[in-house]
Every structure is written in C-alpha cells, then in structure tokens.
Amino acid sequence: MTTSTVSTRSRVSHGAGFWIVATTFLLVMAYSTVPTPLYALYQARDGFPVSTITVIFAAYAVGVVFSLFFVGHISDWVGRRRMLLIAILISALSAMLFLLWSSVEGLIVARVVNGVSIGVLTATATAHLGELRAVARPDENSIVAASVAGASNLGGLALGPLIGGLFAEFLPNPLVLPHAVFLVALVIAAIVMVSVPETVEQSEPRRRYRPQRLAVPASSRGAFIAAGFGAFAGFALLGLFTSLAPTILIGTFDAPDHLLAGVTTFSVFGAAALGQVLLARLPLQRQLLIATVSCGTGLAAVAAGAVLPQLGVFLVGGVIAGLGVGVLFKSAIATAGSLADPARRGETLSLVFLIAYCGLALPVLAIGFALTFAPEIDVLLIFVSLVLVTTVLAGVAMTRRAAGRP
C-alpha cells in the first residue's frame, strides 16, 4: 500500500529527499543521452553504416520497454527508494560496459542495459517525487511535482548530448572520459540515495511478482488513451533528434562539428523542458493548444530546413517543436498520475512511459530499415510528415479532453 507517511531508515527530510531524487533523476537521464554526439566518432572509428546507429539507439529503447513491462511497476510494493538504487546501479553497469567493451556488439549491449535502468527509473522517480512533495508541502498543487519530474526527465535528456558534445570537442579520449566521469557520479548518487525517505509501506505477506498489467483506469479510459497517444507522438519526435541529429548535420548540412550535434539535441530537449515551466501557469486547454500549434509549425520548419537546406531553419524548427512536445508529455504524465489508483500509481505511470518509449523505439527502427534502401533526405521527410500528423492529432485529442468534449 502506498502512503505519504512512510519514512524508514532515512536521514533527510521529505523536502530534501524530493530534491535529491529530482537531481538523481536528472543525472541518470542525462547519461542516457551522452552517447548521442559520440555515435559519429564510433562510426568513424569502426566504419559501420548509418543504419547501425539506429540499431544501437533502438537497443536503448528496447531496454526501456522491456524494463517498463517487467520491472518498472514493482516499486508500488517493494519500495521507491530500493528501485531507484537499482536503477542507478544498472546505469553504472552500462557505463562500465561502454568502457570495457566498445565494439558494435558491446555498444548494443551497453545501450540495452542503459535502457533497462531508465525503464526502472522513470515511473519510480516520478511517483516518488509526487509522494515526497505531498508530505513536504501537503497544501501545494500536485502540478509542481509533476513539473519538476518532467523537467528532470526532459532536462536530463537535454543535458546529456550537450555534455557529450563538450567532451568530444574539447577533452581527450571522448569515447572513454565521459563514461568514466558518469560512472563516478552515479556511484556517488547511489550512496546519497540511501538517505532518502521511503514512501511505500511494504505489505505482509509480500505480493507475488507479476509483469506489468496493460490496463488503463476503467473510469477514465478515454482520457488515458489520449494521454498515451500524446506521449507516443512526442517521443517519436524526440527520437529523431536523439538518434539521427549528428548524421543529419553531417549528411544534409555538411556540419561535422561534435559540439553542434550536442547543442542541436540539447536545444530540442531543452525547449521541451523549458516549455513545461514557462506555460505551467496557463490553463491546460491553452497549454495544449499552444503545444499543438508549436508541434505543427516546428516540424514544418524542420522539413523546410532539410529541403532548402538551411541549418538555421532546421534548428529553429526543432526548438519550436520541442517546446510543444514538452507540454504534450507533461500533460500526458499529469493526466495518467491523476487518474491512477494511489496503490497502483507506479503501475499506471509505467504504462504511459511504456507507450512513450514505444514511440521512441518503433519509428527509429523503421528509419534504420528505410535508410538501407532510400536516401537520407527522403526518409527524413517521410518521418517528419508522419510525426507532424501524429503530434497534431494527439494535441487536438488532448485539447478536446481538457475542454470536456469527447
């Protein structure tokens, strides 16, 4: 049973624990995207085709989906803190794999393992943040915890490519040093996490393990489906910039700078995180309207920038679309959390994250397949067109729900 009063073997307050979890969430998510600007270096070293990059990236998303289905929900009965510790340590294991086994096969395995850590982390940290904040600030609107969780999630995804790009451009051994630095940081984070209060009361006898139940709250199925659609569509767009941004910059714009690759992905994810904060005080319906228009306008600019080609138009389009995606994603998570039974909050959030990461994995796998026989620019335009339609439809559906229309 989940409760807001459980706090076993902790040494910090719920308020301090909230910020420790938020920072750790940011750190682990950042490490998951550090390799984005490094893929071109691995490719140059080993000479593999662009389609292999999409396989390596998709391996990460497969790990996330696998973990969300089999592990992501069990913090509801074994405890948030314990599962967060496991997530941090699995992420540290992936860093060790990057350091010790950097062939293509090793990269795929390391990315799967890293994805597993994210699958354990996302729903668990989101639920833990909401519960910690409810104790520390019982009179506060729950949207604050949801906003911090969303900002940690997308903000971490934004910082990772920027950090990876800085390592690649200015520091020695860019295929070694970032993984070593994050390995140390993750170990420290695991040690600090021990002091955070637990918010789940473990029942006796303990519940038997079962995989994630793919079910939605029966009383609010329409709202949940709209939220899941929004999460899927938003992460499909983010997958484009996380997996292929460096390749697009080189092949379409003749811009091989590693820092630029990191800045490009950082800008899109950063806009997604910033949009959640800047628009937080607006009514939900207005937020979603802005998000829908931003996704449509931004993706049209991304396509135009690739065709002209104009790098500035491409980048500005990515930022505008990213802002819209951030609002869609936050609204999807907040909707899922509000609809969940408190005793099954981790399970419900795991399901919406599962849907989101399917949006990250499946389109990228399709891109990798298409690149084996179609020109890069054609694949990009088809993908952008599909994501444009999907995100706009998702935004319209969520806006109608927010307005109380079926």
Side-chain angles (χ1 to χ4, degrees):
M1 180 180 73
T2 304
T3 176
S4 62
T5 60
V6 179
S7 180
T8 58
R9 298 191 303 276
S10 63
R11 291 190 292 273
V12 302
S13 67
H14 285 77
F18 174 85
W19 292 111
I20 290 172
V21 172
T23 304
T24 302
F25 197 179
L26 183 89
L27 173 70
V28 179
M29 296 304 298
Y31 183 56
S32 73
T33 52
V34 161
T36 297
L38 306 180
Y39 289 143
L41 296 178
Y42 287 113
Q43 183 183 21
R45 186 194 67 183
D46 297 335
F48 50 74
V50 174
S51 57
T52 301
I53 295 178
T54 63
V55 172
I56 294 170
F57 174 79
Y60 160 77
V62 168
V64 175
V65 170
F66 173 88
S67 179
L68 281 168
F69 183 75
F70 288 103
V71 185
H73 60 297
I74 67 174
S75 70
D76 280 343
W77 66 85
V78 303
R80 310 292 188 209
R81 181 176 58 197
R82 178 180 299 178
M83 295 311 298
L84 286 177
L85 278 169
I86 290 172
I88 298 166
L89 294 175
I90 294 173
S91 187
L93 174 61
S94 72
M96 293 177 64
L97 288 169
F98 271 112
L99 291 170
L100 301 175
W101 188 14
S102 63
S103 64
V104 171
E105 296 80 8
L107 296 178
I108 292 173
V109 172
R111 289 303 280 164
V112 170
V113 172
N114 189 250
V116 169
S117 75
I118 299 303
V120 177
L121 174 81
T122 47
T124 303
T126 302
H128 203 184
L129 286 170
E131 292 157 4
L132 288 168
R133 195 70 174 182
V135 176
R137 303 283 182 87
D139 298 326
E140 186 177 74
N141 192 309
S142 62
I143 197 66
V144 174
S147 296
V148 171
S152 296
N153 192 331
L154 292 176
L157 292 172
L159 284 173
L162 180 62
I163 294 170
L166 289 170
F167 273 99
E169 196 66 27
F170 299 115
L171 296 174
N173 297 322
L175 301 184
V176 174
L177 192 57
H179 303 298
V181 169
F182 270 88
L183 175 59
V184 174
L186 289 165
V187 171
I188 293 172
I191 294 171
V192 175
M193 184 58 62
V194 174
S195 66
V196 172
E198 180 57 78
T199 54
V200 170
E201 182 180 351
Q202 298 181 29
S203 59
E204 295 292 344
R206 291 192 177 184
R207 293 167 59 176
R208 295 181 60 185
Y209 170 79
R210 57 167 175 76
Q212 166 81 291
R213 289 177 178 170
L214 298 181
V216 302
S219 61
S220 308
R221 184 161 297 177
F224 187 91
I225 290 173
F229 191 34
F232 182 96
F235 265 53
L237 184 147
L238 297 178
L240 168 69
F241 285 91
T242 310
S243 62
L244 290 180
T247 302
I248 293 169
L249 291 173
I250 294 171
T252 304
F253 300 107
D254 192 26
D257 185 273
H258 304 303
L259 181 57
L260 178 61
V263 169
T264 298
T265 308
F266 167 79
S267 299
V268 175
F269 280 92
L274 187 61
Q276 295 181 350
V277 177
L278 292 179
L279 302 179
R281 295 185 180 277
L282 295 179
L284 179 59
Q285 187 178 354
R286 187 173 298 178
Q287 290 185 45
L288 289 169
L289 178 61
I290 293 172
T292 304
V293 173
S294 296
C295 287
T297 304
L299 282 166
V302 167
V307 170
L308 290 176
Q310 288 291 325
L311 179 58
V313 175
F314 179 84
L315 294 178
V316 170
V319 169
I320 294 172
L323 184 146
V325 165
V327 176
L328 283 181
F329 180 67
K330 184 191 76 172
S331 299
I333 295 301
T335 298
S338 67
L339 298 175
D341 180 333
R344 299 177 63 183
R345 184 173 288 113
E347 182 175 286
T348 303
L349 289 170
S350 288
L351 177 55
V352 77
F353 277 112
L354 180 63
I355 295 168
Y357 277 94
C358 282
L360 196 71
L362 298 178
V364 170
L365 284 172
I367 288 173
F369 174 73
L371 284 173
T372 61
F373 60 84
E376 179 182 296
I377 189 66
D378 292 348
V379 173
L380 174 65
L381 290 176
I382 292 171
F383 179 78
V384 167
S385 299
L386 292 174
V387 174
L388 189 153
V389 171
T390 306
T391 50
V392 170
L393 287 176
V396 169
M398 293 177 71
T399 303
R400 290 176 65 86
R401 285 284 169 184
R405 297 196 298 269

